[in-house]
Amino acid sequence: MAEKQNKKKFALSIDFLPLIVAYIVLIAFFAIKSPHFFTIKNFLNIALYAANVGILACTMTLVIVAGHIDLSIGSVIALAGVVMGKIMQAGMPVIVAVLACLAVGMLTGVYNAILITRIHINAFITTLAGMEIFRGCAYLVTNGKAITLSGEFIKQIGRGYTLGIPNAVIIMLIMIVIFAWISKFTTFGRRIYVIGGGSQVAYLSGINVERNLSLLFILNGLMCGLATMIYCSQLGSAMPSNASGMEFDVISAVILGGASLSGGKGSIVGALFGALLLGTLNNGMVMLNIHTYWQQVISGIVLVVAVVFDVVKKRREQRSV
């Protein structure tokens, strides 16, 4: 009896449990409406669509858990992509281009970290400005033109398959496992949750808030570099317009996954389900021939519902205290 009660309490404590229920209902709805939806091939397509969002959601979850946000990730992908493309276009080895791509991502993370932790500019303002700066730099580097990418490595990382599973999906799952472990079983992960609960309390507890937040934003930039390679590989080109609006998909996935905008709460696995739900929603709408404009409206409504759900949940928790 006690074991059953403990299992029930555990299930109710999962912040993304309503998301799992909504996801099952969504799958059932699209499976009924389209005979082509419920197939292994289509679910692999959904996972492939969700790969970049899932990868970026790993560190974005921790950023939001820490009580911050990053609106610049889409622009970072654009900038890192065109830098990688320019280096490959110059005939340099692919490994140099890949390292440069990762380095650009990390440097943008350093930029955000310095302004947020050292100069103490609000993360929203810092990354909003970064979104414009990095996107503008991407256009300056290419003069607004696309760069075609070639090479077997670049092709395989985003469009290749291993044992019938897309390589991008395998990379996403590896990152999910790594960051789920980091968030739960490392000192760094636990400190991020404490910082999100209250940076002043964390500081008084002996946690170096600035150092941990700086490391977090640099990691976030590194993940942007990884996502850039997959994104550009899937497109076969690097363009300054790449990943426009991706930050909203990633934030939506994280919030849908149970993270609180006020900080202190969030789950890497929940963010994965959020990314899959968004991928399933987009995939199903395409199959039902829903107009692109309506797809944007529905995606926006999903984000609003997720935020409203977070606000309502927070108010209930405050009342119960």
Side-chain angles (χ1 to χ4, degrees), residues 16-34 37-38 43 273 276-277 280-281 284 288:
F16 56 91
L17 186 60
L19 174 64
I20 297 174
V21 175
Y23 189 45
I24 293 170
V25 171
L26 192 66
I27 289 174
F29 172 77
F30 285 131
I32 293 169
K33 289 291 184 179
S34 174
F37 179 81
F38 207 80
F43 277 107
F273 276 102
L276 290 173
L277 185 141
T280 303
L281 181 63
L288 296 181

Side-chain angles (χ1 to χ4, degrees), residues 193-258:
Y193 279 84
V194 175
I195 291 169
S199 58
Q200 190 64 30
V201 173
Y203 174 77
L204 293 173
S205 301
I207 295 173
N208 190 322
V209 176
E210 290 185 355
R211 182 192 300 165
N212 283 278
L213 285 179
S214 295
L215 177 58
L216 177 56
F217 276 98
I218 293 169
L219 274 175
N220 193 46
L222 180 63
M223 293 296 278
C224 286
L226 177 61
T228 299
M229 290 186 285
I230 297 172
Y231 192 96
C232 291
S233 172
Q234 291 172 344
L235 288 180
S237 64
M239 296 182 286
S241 60
N242 276 0
S244 179
M246 180 169 279
E247 55 275 359
F248 298 108
D249 288 340
V250 176
I251 293 168
S252 296
V254 173
I255 301 303
L256 283 168

Side-chain angles (χ1 to χ4, degrees), residues 36-252:
H36 306 292
F37 179 81
F38 207 80
T39 63
I40 293 175
K41 182 179 179 181
N42 190 51
F43 277 107
L44 284 176
N45 287 335
I46 291 170
L48 191 58
Y49 176 89
N52 274 320
V53 174
I55 288 169
L56 293 168
C58 289
T59 43
M60 182 64 83
T61 298
L62 295 179
V63 169
I64 290 177
V65 164
H68 295 276
I69 200 163
D70 189 349
L71 299 175
S72 66
I73 55 176
S75 298
V76 173
I77 289 174
L79 178 58
V82 298
V83 168
M84 180 175 67
K86 277 289 186 181
I87 291 173
M88 291 179 66
Q89 198 176 54
M92 297 185 74
V94 175
I95 186 64
V96 175
V98 166
L99 291 175
C101 177
L102 296 174
V104 169
M106 292 180 70
L107 286 172
T108 60
V110 171
Y111 160 85
N112 286 330
I114 290 172
L115 292 185
I116 293 167
T117 65
R118 303 295 180 182
I119 305 179
H120 302 291
I121 300 176
N122 180 275
F124 181 89
I125 301 300
T126 296
T127 58
L128 182 64
M131 180 172 68
E132 294 297 311
I133 293 168
F134 305 146
R135 182 75 65 182
C137 288
Y139 276 99
L140 288 171
V141 169
T142 62
N143 199 25
K145 298 177 182 178
I147 302 171
T148 302
L149 300 179
S150 59
E152 192 61 24
F153 176 79
I154 295 297
K155 179 183 176 181
Q156 286 298 317
I157 195 171
R159 287 179 282 170
Y161 285 73
T162 300
L163 301 175
I165 302 173
N167 291 335
V169 175
I170 294 172
I171 294 170
M172 176 189 70
L173 293 175
I174 291 171
M175 292 299 106
I176 291 290
V177 171
I178 290 172
F179 279 92
W181 177 77
I182 288 173
S183 67
K184 293 291 184 182
F185 301 108
T186 67
T187 303
F188 170 71
R190 289 192 290 269
R191 284 174 177 172
I192 292 300
Y193 279 84
V194 175
I195 291 169
S199 58
Q200 190 64 30
V201 173
Y203 174 77
L204 293 173
S205 301
I207 295 173
N208 190 322
V209 176
E210 290 185 355
R211 182 192 300 165
N212 283 278
L213 285 179
S214 295
L215 177 58
L216 177 56
F217 276 98
I218 293 169
L219 274 175
N220 193 46
L222 180 63
M223 293 296 278
C224 286
L226 177 61
T228 299
M229 290 186 285
I230 297 172
Y231 192 96
C232 291
S233 172
Q234 291 172 344
L235 288 180
S237 64
M239 296 182 286
S241 60
N242 276 0
S244 179
M246 180 169 279
E247 55 275 359
F248 298 108
D249 288 340
V250 176
I251 293 168
S252 296

